[in-house]
Amino acid sequence: PGLQVPVYSLFTWKDQPLISDLIYGLKGGVLKAPVQKVSQSLLKERLLLGPAFCQQLVFVPAPPKQTQTADHASAIAENLSLLTSSPWFNLLEYDDLSTQKHKSLKDRQKIKMRPKVPNTPNTLRKRQVIFVDDVVTSGSTALAAYEALGSPAHFEVWALAYRAKLVVSPDL
């Protein structure tokens, strides 16, 4: 049996036009009120564990496709950080910046990331790492993040939507 990573999402992809509009509306992270509402909703769904759980959190957004730009995952991670008084770090970058859209499962499984800062895994060792992304499909992006962060002992994925169109990677 492979790695089991908890994935928490607000929506499933069955309401595709609505979810698609929401995600594209959040791209760029400039719409403050919707980003705050989404962040609050994610917390409400997940943080029934109390303040002790919040003290150990660190939020890590999926890296933007374009370097030097913030995006909706970063904006949501930043808002989650403010709501929980927990840190957020933009720690990851893709080895390949090509888009995942329309890629096969086999191609998605080739996704690789690397930490932007040396020794990143050491700083996360005793933290509950929350990887923030917009849509989880195959789990390949989350697996790449998990590996790039040094396989932290406590790792979860929080996403806007779960899209069960592709088969989940056997490692996730």
Side-chain angles (χ1 to χ4, degrees):
L3 172 69
Q4 297 296 311
V5 173
V7 176
Y8 300 94
S9 66
L10 292 178
F11 307 101
T12 60
W13 199 258
K14 66 181 177 180
D15 299 319
Q16 193 271 332
L18 172 67
I19 303 306
S20 196
D21 288 348
L22 172 65
I23 290 168
Y24 285 112
L26 293 175
K27 290 219 183 262
V30 295
L31 300 174
K32 301 288 185 209
V35 167
Q36 289 172 345
K37 185 66 175 167
V38 163
S39 301
Q40 290 168 347
S41 296
L42 276 167
L43 281 174
K44 190 184 291 185
E45 287 294 315
R46 182 63 187 110
L47 288 186
L48 304 174
L49 301 174
F53 180 75
C54 289
Q55 292 172 357
Q56 299 302 316
L57 297 176
V58 60
F59 296 97
V60 178
K65 296 292 185 226
Q66 299 174 0
T67 58
Q68 308 303 321
T69 60
D71 68 354
H72 51 299
S74 297
I76 293 169
E78 181 178 14
N79 266 277
L80 289 167
S81 169
L82 292 171
L83 290 167
T84 60
S85 299
S86 301
W88 79 279
F89 301 108
N90 192 359
L91 295 174
L92 299 170
E93 58 190 3
Y94 287 103
D95 283 348
D96 175 7
L97 291 177
S98 64
T99 183
Q100 294 180 53
K101 203 174 206 175
H102 308 297
K103 281 189 177 180
S104 68
L105 176 59
K106 185 177 180 180
D107 287 339
R108 286 173 182 253
Q109 290 174 332
K110 295 176 186 174
I111 294 169
K112 296 290 182 211
M113 293 183 197
R114 61 182 172 267
K116 291 181 178 181
V117 180
N119 298 320
T120 293
N122 294 335
T123 63
L124 302 176
R125 188 159 282 134
K126 294 184 180 182
R127 297 292 213 150
Q128 176 74 29
V129 178
I130 309 298
F131 180 68
V132 180
D133 205 353
D134 56 357
V135 179
V136 174
T137 52
S138 68
S140 296
T141 301
L143 179 60
Y146 174 79
E147 291 172 350
L149 295 172
S151 305
H154 306 286
F155 185 86
E156 294 182 1
V157 179
W158 291 10
L160 295 179
Y162 174 69
R163 183 178 186 177
K165 182 176 179 182
L166 296 174
V167 178
V168 175
S169 170
D171 291 327
L172 277 183

